[in-house]
Amino acid sequence: MAAIQIKRIYQPADKSDGKRILVDRLWPRGVKKESAQLDEWMKAIAPSEALRKWFHQDNDRTKWDEFKAKYLLELKENPAVDELLDMISKNEKVTLLYAAHDEQHNHARILLQFIDELLKSG
């Protein structure tokens, strides 16, 4: 089984990252495409535009649990999850990249947990 991790895109790329997949809907500010060293950009795996705007509109972290529940519902219906699982199955190491400043409250952390649970359940 592949090792999967998350990492801010602003951190330098490393050989140990394996396949680098950006999982944000929007391109990260201040990052040049050539320096990002991406293998894939999966916009479709990110939260919907409406959910992203709702969560970020007032920076209210008390919405975290509700955001997480809503994003998990989106993931359960998202065909991009199968595409991501296929990429993971073909690589020893996968790094999911995100731009959020908050390393604890971001969609990539939810996505990682969701994918881990899918892989464990078979």
Side-chain angles (χ1 to χ4, degrees), residues 35-82:
S35 65
Q37 299 180 28
L38 292 182
D39 295 299
E40 297 285 336
W41 181 12
M42 292 190 71
K43 298 176 196 178
I45 202 83
S48 65
E49 187 73 15
L51 182 57
R52 181 187 64 78
K53 285 181 178 180
W54 171 81
F55 183 61
H56 292 291
Q57 76 185 15
D58 53 12
N59 246 354
D60 181 1
R61 292 298 173 244
T62 62
K63 294 181 178 179
W64 174 247
D65 290 335
E66 189 176 354
F67 171 77
K68 183 176 179 179
K70 289 179 178 188
Y71 183 43
L72 287 170
L73 285 174
E74 287 185 357
L75 286 172
K76 289 176 184 172
E77 302 291 322
N78 191 335
V81 170
D82 290 334

Side-chain angles (χ1 to χ4, degrees), residues 11-35:
Q11 295 173 306
D14 190 272
K15 289 180 184 181
S16 68
D17 289 344
K19 187 170 187 78
R20 292 170 50 88
I21 304 170
L22 178 61
V23 294
D24 281 353
R25 189 167 296 279
L26 304 175
W27 187 261
R29 287 185 187 154
V31 176
K32 294 182 180 180
K33 290 190 179 182
E34 55 275 1
S35 65

